[in-house]
Amino acid sequence: MFLDIRPKKNDYPIYEQIVSQVIFGIASGLYEPGTLIPSVRELALQLQVHPNTVARAFQELERLEVVESKRGRGMEVTARAPVICSAKRQEKIRERIRDVLREAVASALPADEIEQLVADELRRVNGKPLR
Amino acid sequence: MFLDIRPKKNDYPIYEQIVSQVIFGIASGLYEPGTLIPSVRELALQLQVHPNTVARAFQELERLEVVESKRGRGMEVTARAPVICSAKRQEKIRERIRDVLREAVASALPADEIEQLVADELRRVNGKPLR
Amino acid sequence: MFLDIRPKKNDYPIYEQIVSQVIFGIASGLYEPGTLIPSVRELALQLQVHPNTVARAFQELERLEVVESKRGRGMEVTARAPVICSAKRQEKIRERIRDVLREAVASALPADEIEQLVADELRRVNGKPLR
Amino acid sequence: MFLDIRPKKNDYPIYEQIVSQVIFGIASGLYEPGTLIPSVRELALQLQVHPNTVARAFQELERLEVVESKRGRGMEVTARAPVICSAKRQEKIRERIRDVLREAVASALPADEIEQLVADELRRVNGKPLR
DNA sequence: GTGGTCTAGACCACT
DNA sequence: GTGGTCTAGACCACG
């Protein structure tokens, strides 16, 4: 799995990070309908995270009808998952972009400086994508 | 005062929102060195928040040397506050922009769609600045 | 734990007393890096103090990078803690000694009487170390 | 007047500093019985302190029977003041020395280091008495 | 009036 | 179980 968990101070809760990243993974076609996603134990081990935390993320994913538990086999990506996840992905990201920009404007930082910062970071992030 | 607090759904803690917004206020020249920022009780009333929460924010602001408690009078903006706050403002916003963009890239949303979203929201936010 | 809190007559605030004593504990090797210090609730119970007060002390200890909050597990002593705490311990005590002696001199009590008092109390305190 | 007020963070309350220093002044013979001590307003002006604070200190001094108000003339040092103040001075200083040393021992700082610190600071303070 | 500290007890996220 | 945040309301020291 490709998850990048940052158990840092002010980040989003880990379980939410997992939820987001699974959604992103499905949206980007990494997991296709019918795929079994890694088990709670396996993922917990790999992410160095408590199994309960993973379980909670899975619960949430199940609630979103993105995965469903198949008795004895594990969690399976649902048929409708790609559609759901693509929509959710765009929605989430648009929302966060909006929040950040709203905050930037509220801070009374001049508009041109905001655009400068955005351009800087956009370039930066495209250069060396993740870490 | 102009503070816009969102009552802690999954957002940043309230006291931290207050810290940020006071910093933004000073950075934008709303409070000048030597003046008193609004009192704990006054701010608490206005923000519909418990005085303890405001007090905690003030503590943090004092630790940042942005403000200095004057016995029995209130919290006074320090001489160095404008410099500190301007730097902190830019740093905070840059950091949040970076985080959001990093997440957007990690979501495997195509680069052009990200830029599109950013441009949309930027325009949107500049159109009707605050809400 | 061994903490000896005096319930805020005109003394230092309780949370600060806790901070000091945890620092002293680490400086004297009672807690080693990587171990967990007693939990908020446990300490609160033992010290007959409200958990919030202990929590505030812990916040301060974390800010000093003496301790690090580990989600759901507790507060862990950092690797650098022993160095930080040893330095802080000496600094704190030197400062308090200096303050007291400065005050004694300011009181115009003759120097020999001051030395006499110091010698007396030093002997006294070494005789029966703690109470 | 000779008072040295430090309106700093963790110091004793100002009114208590004033009380102490007046007591010390009388104990050291600076003010003899019958002397009129400076008025509230005068002292407040000189110390850059709120008159209420000075008034409160005077109240306390009156309670200790160290001064008494003489209608229309001001506050006068009482006949018994020197005796009271000498005793109070020694008591106060002994108490503070004891507290500090007790704390030093409780911190588990080795006894020889404590003595070293005390000797250092004693020398230091005798060298350049006040500031 | 100001800020500072404390107790009380709640709910949340995480292990 | 852990720490983190919040509300509620009290008392204190200071101006």
Side-chain angles (χ1 to χ4, degrees):
Chain A
M1 199 104 170
F2 57 104
L3 303 184
D4 170 32
I5 297 303
R6 286 172 296 166
K8 280 294 180 180
K9 308 235 155 201
N10 273 323
D11 275 318
Y12 289 81
I14 292 181
Y15 80 95
E16 213 179 299
Q17 293 183 41
I18 297 175
V19 169
S20 275
Q21 299 200 19
V22 170
I23 288 176
F24 293 166
I26 293 173
S28 66
L30 198 74
Y31 293 112
E32 307 209 327
T35 313
L36 287 175
I37 63 175
S39 76
V40 167
R41 262 191 298 273
E42 189 182 331
L43 204 50
L45 206 74
Q46 182 194 322
L47 299 180
Q48 294 286 55
V49 145
H50 197 279
N52 286 354
T53 305
V54 179
R56 179 161 183 187
F58 281 15
Q59 235 175 46
E60 178 69 7
L61 288 167
E62 198 166 8
R63 200 185 60 75
L64 294 173
E65 304 183 29
V66 158
V67 300
E68 59 189 6
S69 86
K70 292 292 190 183
R71 286 212 288 257
R73 289 198 290 131
M75 304 292 277
E76 187 182 294
V77 177
T78 65
R80 310 163 46 210
V83 176
I84 298 174
C85 291
S86 286
K88 263 253 171 287
R89 173 173 68 171
Q90 222 211 351
E91 181 197 331
K92 269 178 187 261
I93 290 173
R94 159 165 267 136
E95 217 166 66
R96 298 205 178 157
I97 290 174
R98 180 175 310 165
D99 281 353
V100 162
L101 293 180
R102 226 182 346 226
E103 190 190 9
V105 169
S107 82
L109 198 65
D112 56 340
E113 285 194 45
I114 294 175
E115 289 188 36
Q116 189 57 45
L117 281 176
V118 170
D120 281 359
E121 295 304 325
L122 206 51
R123 209 174 320 113
R124 193 169 182 288
V125 127
N126 279 332
K128 19 175 175 167
L130 277 220
R131 49 156 168 142
Chain B
M1 197 99 171
F2 60 107
L3 302 186
D4 169 32
I5 296 304
R6 281 171 304 180
K8 186 73 192 323
K9 33 187 172 200
N10 249 340
D11 277 316
Y12 289 79
I14 295 177
Y15 78 91
E16 218 178 291
Q17 294 181 43
I18 298 174
V19 168
S20 278
Q21 299 202 20
V22 170
I23 287 177
F24 293 166
I26 293 174
S28 66
L30 190 71
Y31 296 112
E32 307 215 324
T35 62
L36 298 175
I37 63 175
S39 77
V40 168
R41 288 159 176 85
E42 189 182 333
L43 216 46
L45 207 75
Q46 183 192 324
L47 301 179
Q48 294 286 60
V49 144
H50 195 277
N52 283 351
T53 304
V54 179
R56 182 167 178 187
F58 280 18
Q59 256 173 39
E60 179 68 7
L61 287 167
E62 186 164 25
R63 203 185 61 72
L64 294 173
E65 301 181 39
V66 156
V67 111
E68 193 169 62
S69 135
K70 294 291 186 181
R71 330 165 85 99
R73 292 200 294 123
M75 303 295 277
E76 188 181 299
V77 177
T78 66
R80 310 165 44 208
V83 176
I84 298 175
C85 292
S86 287
K88 265 243 167 302
R89 173 173 68 172
Q90 222 213 347
E91 180 197 332
K92 269 173 189 272
I93 291 173
R94 158 164 267 137
E95 227 164 56
R96 297 200 182 160
I97 290 174
R98 179 175 307 166
D99 282 352
V100 162
L101 292 181
R102 203 143 51 186
E103 190 189 14
V105 169
S107 81
L109 198 66
D112 57 340
E113 284 194 46
I114 295 176
E115 288 187 38
Q116 190 56 47
L117 279 176
V118 171
D120 282 0
E121 295 303 327
L122 206 50
R123 210 173 319 112
R124 193 169 182 288
V125 124
N126 279 332
K128 14 177 174 168
L130 285 218
R131 51 154 168 146
Chain C
M1 197 101 171
F2 59 106
L3 303 186
D4 170 32
I5 297 303
R6 282 171 302 178
K8 187 73 195 320
K9 32 187 172 198
N10 248 340
D11 278 316
Y12 289 79
I14 294 178
Y15 78 91
E16 217 178 292
Q17 293 182 43
I18 297 175
V19 169
S20 277
Q21 299 202 18
V22 170
I23 288 178
F24 293 167
I26 293 175
S28 66
L30 191 70
Y31 296 112
E32 307 215 325
T35 62
L36 299 175
I37 63 174
S39 77
V40 168
R41 289 158 176 85
E42 189 182 332
L43 215 45
L45 208 74
Q46 182 192 326
L47 300 180
Q48 296 285 63
V49 146
H50 196 275
N52 283 352
T53 305
V54 178
R56 182 166 178 190
F58 281 16
Q59 257 173 39
E60 178 69 8
L61 286 167
E62 186 165 24
R63 203 185 60 73
L64 294 173
E65 301 183 38
V66 155
V67 112
E68 193 169 62
S69 133
K70 294 292 187 180
R71 331 165 85 99
R73 293 201 293 121
M75 302 296 276
E76 188 180 298
V77 177
T78 66
R80 309 164 46 209
V83 175
I84 298 174
C85 292
S86 287
K88 264 244 167 305
R89 174 174 66 173
Q90 223 212 346
E91 182 197 330
K92 269 174 189 268
I93 291 175
R94 156 166 270 134
E95 228 165 55
R96 297 202 181 159
I97 289 174
R98 180 175 308 166
D99 282 352
V100 163
L101 292 181
R102 206 148 43 191
E103 191 190 14
V105 168
S107 81
L109 198 66
D112 56 340
E113 282 193 47
I114 295 175
E115 288 187 39
Q116 189 57 46
L117 280 176
V118 170
D120 282 358
E121 294 304 327
L122 205 52
R123 211 173 317 114
R124 195 167 180 289
V125 125
N126 279 332
K128 14 177 176 169
L130 287 219
R131 51 158 166 143
Chain D
M1 200 101 169
F2 57 104
L3 303 185
D4 170 33
I5 296 303
R6 286 172 298 167
K8 279 292 181 181
K9 308 233 155 202
N10 272 321
D11 274 318
Y12 289 82
I14 292 181
Y15 80 95
E16 212 179 299
Q17 292 182 42
I18 298 176
V19 169
S20 276
Q21 298 198 22
V22 169
I23 288 177
F24 293 166
I26 293 174
S28 66
L30 199 74
Y31 293 113
E32 306 209 329
T35 313
L36 285 176
I37 63 176
S39 76
V40 167
R41 264 189 297 272
E42 189 181 334
L43 203 50
L45 205 76
Q46 181 193 325
L47 299 180
Q48 295 285 54
V49 144
H50 197 281
N52 286 355
T53 306
V54 178
R56 180 162 181 185
F58 281 15
Q59 235 174 44
E60 177 70 7
L61 287 167
E62 197 166 9
R63 202 186 57 75
L64 293 172
E65 304 183 27
V66 158
V67 301
E68 58 189 6
S69 84
K70 291 295 189 181
R71 286 211 287 258
R73 291 197 288 132
M75 304 291 278
E76 185 182 296
V77 177
T78 65
R80 309 163 48 208
V83 176
I84 298 174
C85 292
S86 286
K88 263 251 170 289
R89 172 173 68 171
Q90 222 212 349
E91 180 196 333
K92 268 178 188 259
I93 291 174
R94 156 164 270 135
E95 218 165 64
R96 297 203 178 159
I97 290 174
R98 181 175 308 166
D99 282 352
V100 162
L101 293 181
R102 213 158 26 202
E103 189 191 10
V105 168
S107 82
L109 197 67
D112 56 339
E113 285 194 45
I114 296 175
E115 290 187 34
Q116 188 58 46
L117 281 176
V118 170
D120 281 0
E121 294 304 326
L122 206 50
R123 208 173 322 113
R124 194 167 182 289
V125 128
N126 279 331
K128 18 178 176 168
L130 276 220
R131 49 158 170 142

